[in-house]
């Protein structure tokens, strides 16, 4: 038995498919307590609060 290739895919067609693998900047929101930029749905690294409640004590 020999190898049966499925057909030649042109470079343009191949590269069009690979063009969608791009990085995007992370979405940032302002902290409701201190106003610094943070990722949504995470504890603020600056003040340690989440949903206006102190979760982590920051020294």
């Amino acid at each position: 038995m020999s190898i049966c290739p499925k057909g030649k895919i042109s470079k343009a067609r191949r590269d069009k498919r690979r063009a969608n693998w791009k990085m995007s900047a992370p979405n940032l929101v302002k902290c409701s307590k201190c106003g610094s930029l943070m990722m949504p749905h995470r504890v603020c690294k600056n003040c340690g609060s989440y949903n206006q409640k102190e979760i982590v004590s920051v020294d």
Side-chain angles (χ1 to χ4, degrees):
M1 276 215 218
S2 63
I3 298 171
C4 183
K6 291 182 177 154
K8 180 176 170 66
I9 297 173
S10 68
K11 292 174 197 146
R13 196 176 181 95
R14 177 199 66 198
D15 293 341
K16 262 191 249 178
R17 185 177 66 245
R18 293 179 182 171
N20 294 319
W21 284 82
K22 53 183 172 278
M23 293 284 284
S24 60
N27 188 24
L28 298 175
V29 295
K30 283 188 178 180
C31 175
S32 58
K33 202 166 190 184
C34 67
S36 65
L37 291 176
M38 56 176 263
M39 292 182 74
H41 306 287
R42 283 166 180 77
V43 175
C44 179
K45 291 181 181 179
N46 194 30
C47 64
S49 65
Y50 177 75
N51 200 13
Q52 295 185 344
K53 296 176 192 155
E54 188 174 339
I55 305 297
V56 181
S57 61
V58 179
D59 295 332

